[in-house]
Amino acid sequence: LFDGAFVGNIDFFEPKMNFVNAPSKENSQVGVDKPWPQKIKQLFPLRINRFTVRNGEVHYRDFSKRPNVDLIFDRVQMVATNLTNSKKLSKTMVAELQIEGRPLRAGDFRARVALNPYAEEPTFTLRSEVSELPLVKLNDFAKAYAGITFETGTLKLATEMTSDQGRFNGYVEPVLDHAGGQ
């Protein structure tokens, strides 16, 4: 603080986060207010060297659909480094994240992300993988949004994507093994 900046580490233990999609904007909690990066840059200079989440939980909920949708990622472990709002405190504004979790209390999810949250256009690299997710765990979501249900099978999903100043390049590769349903 004596040098005019706040530097530190943050650890969250068993946090829970909810994203709610609703018919009215007043009841929805899915977006991020803009221009939040500019507001954070205006704060006192800060750098979070290490931000961790241990045993977290993230929900996407939509109770306006039938059946109700409650997609959960639990056992979320995350490490983020170089979260800063000042070029004076870091050589780069790029933050790095490593995330693991269990989608729908069943599969395995892993991701590595490097991103510049202050770039005017999306600027990031992403590598992620979902494996061994039983398709029946997706039934409420699939029925609510696509009118289908699964009886058997598993989902594997691999993604690699980059964006440089809003120009996207990459792929999403879903693999449905032994999928069966209506």
Side-chain angles (χ1 to χ4, degrees):
L1 286 175
F2 296 114
D3 292 330
F6 178 77
V7 178
N9 297 328
I10 297 175
D11 293 307
F12 279 104
F13 297 89
E14 298 184 7
K16 294 185 178 170
M17 180 183 290
N18 290 295
F19 294 96
V20 178
N21 190 26
S24 69
K25 193 172 186 175
E26 297 81 35
N27 294 330
S28 289
Q29 299 171 337
V30 291
V32 176
D33 292 335
K34 293 183 181 182
W36 69 271
Q38 287 72 28
K39 291 178 183 178
I40 291 176
K41 274 185 166 180
Q42 294 170 357
L43 296 174
F44 190 77
L46 66 95
R47 177 174 175 189
I48 300 168
N49 292 325
R50 185 175 174 89
F51 178 99
T52 62
V53 171
R54 299 169 197 257
N55 200 27
E57 197 170 284
V58 179
H59 289 261
Y60 169 80
R61 297 177 173 172
D62 189 342
F63 300 125
S64 68
K65 295 291 184 182
R66 295 291 171 252
N68 289 337
V69 174
D70 185 5
L71 294 180
I72 180 174
F73 272 68
D74 68 353
R75 298 183 183 173
V76 174
Q77 311 294 329
M78 182 180 85
V79 176
T81 56
N82 196 46
L83 300 172
T84 184
N85 68 348
S86 172
K87 289 184 180 179
K88 294 177 184 176
L89 299 177
S90 178
K91 293 179 184 176
T92 178
M93 298 295 279
V94 174
E96 295 189 12
L97 295 88
Q98 294 182 36
I99 306 166
E100 300 179 357
R102 188 174 67 155
L104 304 172
R105 300 190 193 276
D108 184 55
F109 170 78
R110 298 175 188 277
R112 294 180 71 92
V113 182
L115 67 103
N116 181 348
Y118 303 106
E120 292 200 22
E121 297 290 333
T123 303
F124 64 87
T125 61
L126 164 71
R127 295 182 82 182
S128 69
E129 182 178 322
V130 172
S131 60
E132 302 308 318
L133 181 60
L135 289 171
V136 296
K137 294 285 191 172
L138 288 168
N139 275 344
D140 287 348
F141 180 83
K143 190 169 187 178
Y145 290 106
I148 61 173
T149 58
F150 297 102
E151 294 174 4
T152 61
T154 59
L155 170 67
K156 295 177 186 175
L157 181 73
T159 303
E160 286 192 26
M161 189 173 298
T162 61
S163 177
D164 185 18
Q165 298 300 315
R167 301 184 88 176
F168 293 89
N169 187 18
Y171 67 87
V172 176
E173 181 181 338
V175 176
L176 303 175
D177 285 332
H178 307 294
Q182 303 178 24

